[in-house]
Amino acid sequence: MRLFPRRRPMLNPLPGFWPSERLFYESAASVVVEHEDGWDVRTRHPGHRFVAWEFAVRYETACRLAELHYTQICDGPTNEEYVVRVAEIERLLGEADRLSQLERSMRPALPDNATAIRLLAVSPRPQPIMPEASRLESLAEEHLPDVDHVRSEMARLEAASPPFNPQVHEFLMEVDRQIPGAGIHSAVWVGSDRYDYPFDYDFERVLRPLRYIPTYLSLAWGDPIHVRAVVQNATAHLEGCVKKALDKADAKQPLGALLGTPAAKNLMSADSLAGASEFVRLVGNPSKHDYTNDRHHGSVFIYEDAVLAYFLSRRFGAQALEASGQLDDLVAAAEDATRHDRYFRGAQLPIYSR
């Protein structure tokens, strides 16, 4: 390898400072997405996935480099620079087409069963070892009605449609509507993938965490690194509900300590209080402090943790507000904010399809 180093084609000299091809290669390696039947590229989709990771990365690299040259042509180059950049675009797109043709030519020679394809398409990086089951499985079975249907339907959707799509989101909203109070179904959609969230001053602590849930649920569907954000916002929503119910909006005590106060014990039923306290122990505190996976190398939480954490926080939060007589006020406040276009300030948030 030292005697015969691999030669990479170099960009023709052009004025100014431009990213190296190595940087484009490293960027491409970070954005190709693994699926059951191969790797997806992003910049210029060839109409198929690549079983060979290296083909996918080199294809994406070539397309990104071609995109760079095209954007520079749009910026009014000199005639000499124009000629060089057109030649580079032609070379790079030709290389991308060659890789695509090689992939399509090799497919008939490969095994046609999914297991073999997965083995061939394995990432060159060590794969994370994920937790075997949700931390909230038992708690959800005790406190969420029809949780077995929710879990089985989510598993079916994940197997049938790897991208997070409207069908997944519609199912989550359908379940959410069965729990009293405001939730992801309270978002006001702008187009098919962006939303505003209703703002109310009195219930800001309750509503603000809910604002982020649809975005992070969609991100976590394709990348477990975002599951923690869902769990943290779900915990924040529950804490907001408990503080509102106890009339302790400015209390500095953490959620677990608040649930142990005499006021909480007098307000909430023993069953609801025990469930909320167990929620804090299982995922609320770990989402803030626990960064160790007992199987090592993988995420601390799995996607099912995100879904169940959200619905459990909604259930216990609604029970706390209902016990204090404020649940109907929350719903009315969210509806009034929507009628009068009062939303949290800032950019509309998206859901992400992968």
Side-chain angles (χ1 to χ4, degrees):
M1 292 293 287
R2 292 193 186 95
L3 290 173
F4 303 101
R6 182 171 58 189
R7 295 184 179 274
R8 291 187 176 275
M10 299 298 294
L11 290 174
N12 292 315
L14 289 168
F17 295 96
W18 308 104
S20 68
E21 186 172 345
R22 168 56 64 181
L23 287 177
F24 276 90
Y25 181 89
E26 292 172 355
S27 172
S30 70
V31 300
V32 295
V33 179
E34 186 177 10
H35 294 276
E36 292 291 308
D37 57 343
W39 295 88
D40 246 343
V41 293
R42 181 177 296 179
T43 302
R44 174 182 177 253
H45 205 282
H48 61 81
R49 290 172 177 155
F50 292 87
V51 174
W53 180 84
E54 188 70 28
F55 275 15
V57 174
R58 288 172 180 257
Y59 180 96
E60 180 70 17
T61 302
C63 293
R64 287 181 167 231
L65 278 164
E67 184 181 50
L68 167 69
H69 288 295
Y70 185 82
T71 58
Q72 295 305 311
I73 287 175
C74 294
D75 200 30
T78 64
N79 189 59
E80 292 77 10
E81 184 179 344
Y82 170 82
V83 171
V84 171
R85 291 196 183 278
V86 168
E88 282 297 295
I89 290 173
E90 290 175 344
R91 179 185 71 80
L92 291 162
L93 294 183
E95 172 68 5
D97 291 340
R98 185 179 72 88
L99 291 166
S100 174
Q101 179 60 41
L102 282 170
E103 176 69 29
R104 286 184 280 116
S105 297
M106 285 303 302
R107 276 284 180 147
L110 302 178
D112 59 0
N113 66 83
T115 302
I117 291 295
R118 281 198 298 273
L119 289 173
L120 289 170
V122 66
S123 168
R125 304 174 300 280
Q127 292 298 292
I129 303 173
M130 304 298 290
E132 292 181 345
S134 168
R135 299 177 178 218
L136 295 169
E137 186 175 337
S138 297
L139 190 64
E141 288 176 353
E142 183 178 352
H143 290 276
L144 291 179
D146 209 19
V147 68
D148 289 336
H149 168 67
V150 173
R151 295 175 63 203
S152 62
E153 181 64 11
M154 290 301 296
R156 185 192 71 80
L157 288 168
E158 190 169 7
S161 59
F164 187 92
N165 59 34
Q167 186 180 2
V168 180
H169 186 70
E170 285 295 329
F171 176 72
L172 292 173
M173 285 201 298
E174 174 189 329
V175 176
D176 203 22
R177 288 190 182 99
Q178 298 174 26
I179 303 173
I184 58 177
H185 56 283
S186 303
V188 177
W189 289 89
V190 182
S192 61
D193 63 348
R194 305 188 74 82
Y195 65 91
D196 283 315
Y197 205 83
F199 169 83
D200 181 80
Y201 179 82
D202 291 334
F203 286 96
E204 179 178 3
R205 186 184 292 272
V206 174
L207 293 171
R208 186 178 289 275
L210 297 177
R211 179 192 183 206
Y212 303 103
I213 294 290
T215 288
Y216 281 117
L217 277 174
S218 66
L219 281 169
W221 179 267
D223 189 346
I225 197 171
H226 298 289
V227 169
R228 183 183 294 272
V230 181
V231 179
Q232 288 175 334
N233 278 290
T235 304
H237 167 68
L238 176 57
E239 184 170 343
C241 291
V242 171
K243 287 185 175 180
K244 182 67 175 172
L246 296 176
D247 195 23
K248 294 186 177 182
D250 298 325
K252 302 301 181 183
Q253 291 172 287
L255 177 58
L258 277 174
L259 292 171
T261 60
K265 294 176 181 178
N266 291 333
L267 177 71
M268 300 173 67
S269 69
D271 182 60
S272 177
L273 190 65
S277 299
E278 184 70 354
F279 174 91
V280 174
R281 185 187 71 83
L282 290 172
V283 295
N285 288 336
S287 71
K288 300 176 183 177
H289 309 298
D290 189 355
Y291 287 84
T292 302
N293 176 347
D294 56 6
R295 304 185 72 207
H296 309 295
H297 299 303
S299 173
V300 173
F301 304 99
I302 59 175
Y303 191 76
E304 191 172 317
D305 287 318
V307 174
L308 296 182
Y310 171 66
F311 289 135
L312 283 167
S313 74
R314 284 268 291 107
R315 171 67 67 184
F316 296 137
Q319 289 171 343
L321 290 174
E322 186 173 30
S324 68
Q326 298 181 79
L327 184 60
D328 291 340
D329 294 339
L330 168 64
V331 175
E335 292 175 349
D336 185 69
T338 300
R339 278 195 303 271
H340 294 91
D341 293 330
R342 292 196 307 272
Y343 304 115
F344 283 95
R345 293 181 180 177
Q348 293 162 347
L349 298 178
I351 58 171
Y352 293 89
S353 298
R354 292 180 177 272

